[in-house]
Amino acid sequence: MSTFRKRTRFSGRIAELNSMDSAFRDVSGGRQRCILLAAEAGGGKSRLVEEFTNRLSGRALILKGGCIEQQESALPYAPATGLLHELARLRGQSLIKSLVGCEGARELAWLLPELGELSERFDAGIARSRLFETMRKLFEELAREMPLVVVIEDIHWADQGTFDLLRFLTRRLMDIRLMLIVTYRAEEASRNALRTTIGDISLCEGSEVLQLRRLTYAEIAVQLEGLLGRPPKPAVINSVYARGCGIPLFTEALIDASGSLRANVTGSLNDYLLRAVREVPPSTGGLLKVMALGGPQITHSLLRSVTNKPDLDLVELLRPAISAGVLVPDRDGYAFRHALIHDAVRGDLIAGEKVAIHRLYADVLERGSVPSYRIWHSVALARHWHGAGQAERCLKWAWQAAGEAAAAFAYMDQMEMLKLVLAAWPEVENARRLIGADHCKVLELAADAACWAAEAEQGLAFVDRALAELDADRYGEQLAALLLQRAVMRQHSLVSGEIADLERALDHAVSPTRLRADALGQFSRALILRGEFNRAKRLGEELRDLAERLDDEEYRIEGMIIGAMLNMPPNASCIDAHRIVVGRAEQASTGRVEVLAGAALLQALLDAGEYSQIIDIGPAIFARTVELGQARYIGALVGAPLCRAYLDLGRVSEATETCERMAALDPLPLGLVHVFECQAEIAIVLGDVDRMAAAVSSLRDLPPGPQVANRMAANLRRYEIESRALAGDRDGSASLAKSALMFLKAQGGVSWPLMVSAMRVAVDTRQKDVVLELAELAGRAPRRNKVEDAENLEISAEMSRATASDINMWEAVSRSWADLNQPFRQAYALMQAGAAALNAAKRVHAARNFRQAFRLAQSVGAQLLSDQIEAFAAKARIDLRDGEDDCVGKAPFGLTDRELEVLRLIADGQSNRDIARNLFISSKTASVHVSNILSKLSVPSRGAAAAIAHRLRIVELT
């Protein structure tokens, strides 16, 4: 089977690798271990073994052998033969002969003829016993030299002799440095010989069974990134995960050599998937064809009705497919074990078979001879009548299913059913009369469903078809509805034309109706997104007036949402207003405004720095968004404040998990802005250069939409500055800091995070003009909340580093971030406070700050920041381990803390210049300290001062 294989990243299996590492440590200590590694076909057994053995890095002799699939019977002792070939290749035949002797070599010659003359065998039992003893002796001798790792793969294809050899070795080799790794397919474990062998071996001392699960969504994403060489798009991850079911081999098979997603699997993989199907009896194979058109899962009752077979007869037909691993029992029915097996069986059907089978299902479902499945029932009927070529019946059931799906917020199902209505329409003479709607109305509904399902490309196509059919003069309001749909899809796709559509929609929706209310609400939110608050306020006020005229609670609430969003800054009264709106929306039981209200509240809480409150209510709002079928549409906008709150509070793993859930929704570009920004923020905290570069690249690949142009421009500049700084590119980050200043001066708005990043880099790279201009900008910029107050204070503290870093200012910054419960930013401020304390010769003060900073950085997993703190502390000879702040002790002879530090360096033989560089002081200041030390110690030279320091143990020898 030919698949695209590019081994760049190993994904998942951390627990299994740890278990194997632990087993190898036991082996190195003289204890034999056996790992039984089970997984389904393609589950990654060989890849895990490869990863593990590669990590051993010359610490063991590794021999590999495998069983070979044969049509008739298993090849005798195939893995033992493979092991001997491998050993001969690595060490030579002469070594084998020297280890087992001439007699032993003749025994092994039955497996490896190159070892010489065959032993004469008269009794098969005795001959086998000799062979087993010779293999035992060979392994014992090899393990004396160094630990021996023996890998035997695919024992589900083994002969009985190999099974017996494995049992023998696991019982007779208990106290040698041998690690035996045996792999097999889990679905084959029901075979009697294999099951018995696994059971016997697993009971031996030192044996452990590792069952490889399928990879998770996040692990598949990592695997795909390795295959593609870039972060995969959420849509690609979703498709591969759904079709490949988390099986590593299938993931590789679904990506072609160019790194693109395959529309269809390769012929070789298809043959591989169908092999087990073709090996079952013909009657079972026929049943599998029927099941394939019933879906990935099918209930026993439906299958019984469709096949018209008694229960016991049906079970007998199903049993071979279950034994072969094609099907698995699934609650009250059966499921194909892999989605790709289901696809392969369905794809193997010819046209006539499909029509006949679809007709069987449709007849049974329409008779109602199986329990109703609500939406599924009508959806299934529409699909089966479509497959059976019955256009009128398909149209009837698809229209009913679309209505049911809309009522249940199943927008994707609604869109798919309306597509069937449109497909059947040309073949049904009385289509309009049959469903009570014209073709253009169906297109409008399909566009609306596509919009809510976040399928913008299809939705825009529906709108364009409808607009081409519509008489604008006669149907102005329908035109306005279509324009509103196109506007929201353009917004979420980050393409231009949205405002023009909204303006035109308002021109056509002139009557005081719900349609005009829709237009006013949508237009107001679009303007808020762009920062055009005055115009948004006017439209919001008109919406509130119209809602009262209509006496419509939904639009009253929407008007309140817009009013609360425009209520700046986000103080306590503003947040209270948002909470009131959320309560009204929940009581009104209107899903659309409930989600909008929840998203607005979370954003207000984020702007106000109320992170704990976000964590209290955010998960429920996110879950409600999914429940209401609006996850792809607005899920990322709801998830982003939650992710940022977790991150700011130092709960990085939960922030990462939330970000992954946002990405898994496969949002449109507007939602992806939030996903990639969250990824970048996580990368900053972790100090992860690769993650940051990937996030920046992903943001740059998004369409340059006018909806978030200013926001993206500011954030991209900040992330690029941070990316260059993380990578150690001093010149690049300096240039970007200067560019950020130009951008900030030209921009009407203010980006405090960008100013903070630019100021830090400008100070680090000694750009005095940039530092001064940034400070001037910050001094004029408005501050809306406690977060921006803290950022303003941090900018001032950064500026102080350009001359003499201010301890008090940095400690004030630290307190500000502590008040906001932001441990990462507090740790950075404490690090700078510690450095400032060192410059001021306040060693105890510095030690306290460094220790607290280090604990905070470690608690959030900020490795790069932890390393920076350790570097500062190491230069100052400060122990970061927990201890009392006065652990340094009082220096004798009246030496100050700073003089004691200088004396340590004198004792190390450092010059005044070296001392100045290490303690971040001038050479002149270092010279003054040295003179004071010589005077206090009453010695004439630096060498004498060093001798006293060592003799009296004033400083420790290094």
Side-chain angles (χ1 to χ4, degrees), residues 107-272:
E107 297 298 335
L108 296 180
W110 287 96
L111 301 179
L112 191 66
E114 294 95 317
L115 290 176
E117 182 182 349
L118 299 179
S119 173
E120 292 184 6
R121 299 188 178 188
F122 301 100
D123 184 287
I126 293 175
R128 193 172 80 150
S129 175
R130 289 175 185 167
L131 174 63
F132 284 14
E133 283 295 339
T134 304
M135 293 293 291
R136 179 193 61 77
K137 182 179 181 182
L138 177 63
F139 285 171
E140 284 183 341
E141 295 299 324
L142 288 170
R144 294 183 197 280
E145 177 187 347
M146 66 190 308
L148 174 63
V149 176
V150 174
V151 179
I152 300 179
E153 296 203 74
D154 299 324
I155 64 163
H156 47 273
W157 289 323
D159 65 299
Q160 187 59 50
T162 297
F163 287 144
D164 293 341
L165 176 60
L166 285 172
R167 287 195 191 90
F168 175 83
L169 294 175
T170 51
R171 283 174 168 78
R172 295 294 301 276
L173 297 172
M174 298 303 297
D175 297 315
I176 69 169
R177 295 187 298 172
L178 169 66
M179 182 174 183
L180 188 62
I181 301 173
V182 179
T183 76
Y184 62 93
R185 289 183 182 172
E187 63 267 30
E188 303 279 356
S190 60
R191 287 174 41 208
N192 187 55
L194 178 59
R195 183 179 68 248
T196 303
T197 303
I198 293 168
D200 289 348
I201 295 176
S202 65
L203 293 173
C204 292
E205 184 181 350
S207 293
E208 180 180 4
V209 178
L210 298 180
Q211 178 78 49
L212 298 189
R213 54 172 174 72
R214 296 180 180 183
L215 296 181
T216 65
Y217 180 93
E219 290 164 347
I220 289 294
V222 172
Q223 186 189 8
L224 281 170
E225 186 171 351
L227 292 168
L228 298 172
R230 63 181 183 275
K233 294 180 179 179
V236 173
I237 305 173
N238 288 343
S239 180
V240 169
Y241 185 64
R243 294 178 66 200
C245 305
I247 298 171
L249 177 65
F250 291 174
T251 299
E252 294 178 351
L254 289 167
I255 298 295
D256 65 21
S258 68
S260 301
L261 184 65
R262 295 184 194 273
N264 297 299
V265 298
T266 59
S268 56
L269 177 59
N270 201 62
D271 290 340
Y272 170 77

Side-chain angles (χ1 to χ4, degrees), residues 282-518:
S283 54
T284 299
L287 180 61
L288 290 173
K289 290 180 179 181
V290 173
M291 295 178 70
L293 290 188
Q297 297 92 21
I298 186 169
T299 65
H300 181 85
S301 60
L302 177 57
L303 188 59
R304 178 183 57 210
S305 298
V306 170
T307 59
N308 195 27
K309 291 185 181 298
D311 288 331
L312 292 179
D313 290 352
L314 190 58
V315 168
E316 286 307 307
L317 286 173
L318 289 164
R319 196 176 302 281
I322 294 171
S323 298
V326 176
L327 298 178
V328 292
D330 179 48
R331 298 188 299 277
D332 55 350
Y334 315 95
F336 284 90
R337 188 162 55 88
H338 302 146
L340 288 182
I341 293 179
H342 174 237
D343 289 346
V345 176
R346 188 173 52 192
D348 202 42
L349 294 170
I350 61 176
E353 289 176 313
K354 291 179 182 178
V355 170
I357 295 171
H358 278 302
R359 182 64 186 250
L360 281 174
Y361 278 104
D363 283 339
V364 167
L365 291 170
E366 199 163 64
R367 287 198 306 268
S369 54
V370 291
S372 172
Y373 292 93
R374 299 185 304 280
I375 294 173
W376 181 87
H377 185 265
S378 51
V379 167
L381 269 165
R383 288 173 176 162
H384 287 305
W385 283 127
H386 176 70
Q390 299 293 313
E392 184 171 323
R393 285 177 166 179
C394 169
L395 184 141
K396 169 193 166 184
W397 283 107
W399 180 252
Q400 179 176 323
E404 293 173 355
F409 312 115
Y411 299 113
M412 185 65 76
D413 283 323
Q414 182 192 8
M415 184 186 72
E416 291 301 322
M417 290 299 99
L418 290 171
K419 285 169 69 176
L420 284 184
V421 171
L422 292 168
W425 193 280
E427 300 179 43
V428 180
E429 290 184 7
N430 57 345
R432 178 173 180 171
R433 182 172 57 82
L434 186 65
I435 66 172
D438 62 20
H439 192 260
C440 190
K441 184 62 179 179
V442 177
L443 285 168
E444 181 186 340
L445 290 172
D448 190 58
C451 177
W452 286 108
E455 291 290 338
E457 185 175 350
Q458 291 194 59
L460 289 170
F462 289 137
V463 171
D464 288 342
R465 288 173 61 187
L467 289 173
E469 293 183 12
L470 194 66
D471 183 343
D473 294 332
R474 293 181 59 190
Y475 302 103
E477 290 205 338
Q478 194 170 0
L479 172 64
L482 288 166
L483 290 169
L484 289 179
Q485 290 171 346
R486 189 166 71 178
V488 74
M489 287 183 279
R490 282 177 164 175
Q491 179 189 95
H492 283 265
S493 300
L494 295 181
V495 298
S496 59
E498 170 200 3
I499 297 299
D501 279 345
L502 290 168
E503 289 173 336
R504 191 177 168 202
L506 269 182
D507 289 342
H508 285 277
V510 292
S511 301
T513 62
R514 288 176 58 88
L515 179 63
R516 183 166 181 84
D518 271 336

Side-chain angles (χ1 to χ4, degrees), residues 3-52:
T3 59
F4 171 53
R5 301 174 78 86
K6 177 183 175 184
R7 296 292 177 82
T8 55
R9 295 185 70 176
F10 181 70
S11 178
R13 313 306 190 206
I14 300 303
E16 291 81 5
L17 272 176
N18 290 339
S19 293
M20 294 172 80
D21 285 338
S22 175
F24 183 73
R25 286 193 293 273
D26 289 345
V27 169
S28 299
R31 177 190 172 201
Q32 189 241 33
R33 290 294 307 274
C34 177
I35 299 293
L36 292 161
L37 195 58
E40 57 192 310
K45 303 180 295 295
S46 298
R47 182 71 175 94
L48 175 59
V49 170
E50 178 186 342
E51 183 72 16
F52 170 68

Side-chain angles (χ1 to χ4, degrees), residues 493-547:
S493 300
L494 295 181
V495 298
S496 59
E498 170 200 3
I499 297 299
D501 279 345
L502 290 168
E503 289 173 336
R504 191 177 168 202
L506 269 182
D507 289 342
H508 285 277
V510 292
S511 301
T513 62
R514 288 176 58 88
L515 179 63
R516 183 166 181 84
D518 271 336
L520 289 168
Q522 187 175 325
F523 205 165
S524 299
R525 294 194 306 277
L527 293 170
I528 291 171
L529 183 61
R530 294 166 181 255
E532 298 182 36
F533 302 120
N534 292 332
R535 192 178 178 190
K537 184 177 181 181
R538 291 195 299 272
L539 294 176
E541 289 170 350
E542 183 182 345
L543 172 61
R544 288 193 291 276
D545 291 341
L546 180 56

